[in-house]
Amino acid sequence: MREKLRIQEVLVVEGKYDAATLSNLVDGLIVTTGGFSIFSDPEKRALLKKLGKERGLLILTDSDAAGFRIRRYINQFAAGVPLKNVYIPSVKGKEARKDVPSKEGLLGVEGMPAQLLYEALAQAGATELSQKSGREITFTDLYELGLSGGTDSAVKRRNLLERLGLPPRLSKKALLEVLNGLYSYEEFCRIVQPKPVLFWDFHGTLTQPDILWFDAAVEALKQCFPALRIARETIEKNFTRTCLPWYHFEDHDTTALVDTEAWWAFCEEQFAAMFGRCGLSKEEGEKAAPYIREYILDASHYQLYPDAVETLRTLQRQGYRNFILSNNFPELEKVAAALGLSPYLEGVISSANVGYDKPRKELFDYALKTAGAQEGIMIGDSIEEDIIGAASAGFFTIAAHYREPVPKAGLTVNELKEAANYLQTAR
């Protein structure tokens, strides 16, 4: 008998008989749609999208109308996921377990000769893997890791599924199949070990350096006074380390500004004064100031570092919990969501909503309490706020986007992915 194919992608078939046939030919994860039940099963759809992002999908349905309908539906809801369609030929006949042929008289996946299935997988470009490293996860492992059979196992299992982005109601059998499709036993053990929570700065760390406030001020003048000519250098000179609460309040106590409108009202007053230093009248400055808020809240003006999303995703997959911790405006969570970061974050903590700015210890204490964590790691680009401030609060610190070591940082990286490499092996 031919040796089973080891394939990287998750194989998606219609029913249990299809899965049984393929399990004799393929060493890999096989998920069934339950026929048309996929149309009314949001958890199954979420699972397929999650698995697809990790490994890619191979869609293998029958060659009849029903099979093509299911195939089209999966292609639609899994748009953006690496996906390959596997097609079997239209062969007349019926499966041995059936008394009569199907409506269209065609063999389904379960009745297809093995050689034709191998050829269909090869033609679709199924990714064949070498021998799997590490052993598989067993039910005994789940028990020993506290995920099965204990008084609080259900809670631990649900928390793990949430952390890994998997449907919360997977049965233990289904959970085992999915975990073995994603990890070896050794990888899984590293994931379930308790880990410190990761807190990421936003401007200058996940997104490109913080020049947006200057850009916003320049754009505000263009919007209000198109004929006015003020050099960008003049804006930068008068804006730098002014206007914003984390620069204005030396004690970094902004508890009086935790209301969103109060926060922006303070900033707009400072913006107007800044425009006055640039030569505008009081009335002109007050007219231009509100446009800065509009610009700053538009997510299209932000640019993520190329490896930001992949780094967050990789660390999440390794069992780390990601939070943003930033000196920033009240609506930061909405902007982060618009940038596509939400799937990889458990929370967004902005100083504007807390009432303290970095490097105040109160903000770091609040972050740990919010995350329900005893230990935190701060990743950021500001030496004063993210490195010295966080270290003083007991955090391990990683200085991001520096080519030379930052003396007070626990680790210095030039690219974010270097932090992921370190955390996967050293923590």
Side-chain angles (χ1 to χ4, degrees):
M1 182 177 179
R2 180 173 175 176
E3 185 177 349
K4 288 185 179 182
L5 286 176
R6 288 200 67 249
I7 58 175
Q8 171 181 297
E9 295 88 355
V10 176
L11 194 55
V12 184
V13 297
E14 293 182 50
K16 63 181 182 180
Y17 295 106
D18 300 331
T21 296
L22 268 299
S23 66
N24 293 320
L25 311 178
V26 170
D27 180 6
L29 181 58
I30 303 172
V31 178
T32 65
T33 69
F36 287 145
S37 67
I38 187 70
F39 295 111
S40 57
D41 190 343
E43 286 195 0
K44 179 63 70 69
R45 296 195 296 272
L47 175 62
L48 289 177
K49 290 179 74 172
K50 166 69 176 178
L51 295 173
K53 288 178 181 178
E54 298 287 346
R55 297 180 48 179
L57 299 179
L58 287 172
I59 313 302
L60 176 53
T61 59
D62 293 347
S63 58
D64 59 7
F68 272 86
R69 182 182 172 191
I70 293 170
R71 181 191 299 277
R72 284 193 299 269
Y73 183 68
I74 297 172
N75 277 262
Q76 289 170 359
F77 77 71
V81 169
L83 184 152
K84 300 172 182 176
N85 284 289
V86 185
Y87 296 99
I88 58 173
S90 297
V91 178
K92 293 290 185 179
K94 76 173 185 67
E95 287 76 18
R97 68 179 178 86
K98 295 180 180 179
D99 294 327
V100 295
S102 65
K103 182 178 180 180
E104 297 180 31
L106 300 175
L107 280 178
V109 170
E110 64 171 286
M112 196 61 49
Q115 185 57 36
L116 291 181
L117 290 172
Y118 281 128
E119 291 174 0
L121 290 168
Q123 289 172 0
T127 305
E128 192 169 355
L129 299 175
S130 57
Q131 186 61 36
K132 186 177 182 179
S133 61
R135 71 170 177 83
E136 290 197 335
I137 306 163
T138 67
F139 284 114
T140 301
D141 295 327
L142 296 184
Y143 174 78
E144 291 179 346
L145 291 168
L147 297 169
S148 175
T151 55
D152 58 351
S153 294
V155 174
K156 289 182 178 178
R157 194 163 60 248
R158 186 167 58 250
N159 290 340
L160 175 68
L161 289 168
E162 181 179 355
R163 182 149 47 96
L164 297 180
L166 295 170
R169 286 188 286 273
L170 280 180
S171 68
K172 283 183 285 187
K173 181 176 182 295
L175 171 62
L176 196 64
E177 291 176 348
V178 170
L179 292 177
N180 275 311
L182 295 173
Y183 314 105
S184 68
Y185 168 75
E186 293 76 12
E187 290 172 330
F188 185 60
C189 284
R190 288 196 294 271
I191 288 170
V192 297
Q193 288 175 348
K195 292 179 174 62
V197 176
L198 305 181
F199 295 94
W200 299 81
D201 178 52
F202 185 70
H203 282 127
T205 301
L206 293 175
T207 64
Q208 300 282 354
D210 184 10
I211 60 171
L212 276 181
W213 294 99
F214 306 148
D215 294 335
V218 171
E219 187 62 27
L221 292 180
K222 289 181 181 178
Q223 292 288 330
C224 295
F225 311 107
L228 186 62
R229 294 290 180 267
I230 293 181
R232 180 188 175 87
E233 292 76 14
T234 302
I235 296 289
E236 291 189 24
K237 176 184 176 181
N238 288 284
F239 200 118
T240 300
R241 300 195 70 82
T242 67
C243 298
L244 303 170
W246 44 93
Y247 297 136
H248 185 90
F249 295 96
E250 291 186 4
D251 62 358
H252 295 279
D253 182 340
T254 58
T255 49
L257 303 178
V258 291
D259 175 77
T260 297
E261 293 308 316
W263 194 89
W264 280 109
F266 168 83
C267 289
E268 288 175 10
E269 182 180 343
Q270 299 302 312
F271 299 155
M274 178 272 300
F275 283 132
R277 296 193 293 273
C278 293
L280 274 67
S281 69
K282 182 176 183 294
E283 293 74 18
E284 289 172 332
E286 291 175 347
K287 180 179 179 180
Y291 284 86
I292 294 180
R293 177 180 183 177
E294 181 179 325
Y295 187 97
I296 287 295
L297 296 185
D298 185 343
S300 68
H301 295 140
Y302 294 79
Q303 184 177 358
L304 292 168
Y305 274 98
D307 57 350
V309 169
E310 180 60 24
T311 298
L312 291 172
R313 187 190 73 82
T314 297
L315 289 168
Q316 182 188 63
R317 187 172 182 267
Q318 293 299 318
Y320 283 95
R321 299 163 60 207
N322 295 307
F323 284 75
I324 286 177
L325 177 58
S326 175
N327 286 351
N328 234 307
F329 48 83
E331 302 91 339
L332 180 60
E333 185 170 4
K334 294 180 180 178
V335 171
L339 290 171
L341 298 178
S342 292
Y344 315 105
L345 300 173
E346 288 204 17
V348 176
I349 301 170
S350 174
S351 61
N353 303 122
V354 179
Y356 293 102
D357 299 317
K358 293 181 290 186
R360 280 288 289 254
K361 185 175 183 296
E362 290 90 339
L363 183 60
F364 293 105
D365 290 343
Y366 177 91
L368 285 176
K369 183 177 180 181
T370 298
Q374 299 295 318
E375 185 181 1
I377 295 176
M378 183 72 215
I379 306 102
D381 68 305
S382 170
I383 296 176
E384 178 185 353
E385 296 169 358
D386 300 318
I387 305 306
I388 297 176
S392 298
F395 284 52
F396 182 81
T397 60
I398 299 177
H401 308 302
Y402 288 92
R403 294 187 180 276
E404 299 296 328
V406 173
K408 295 185 180 295
L411 174 71
T412 302
V413 299
N414 184 28
E415 297 182 317
L416 295 178
K417 61 186 178 183
E418 295 171 29
N421 294 337
Y422 168 81
L423 291 168
Q424 289 178 89
T425 56
R427 302 296 293 190

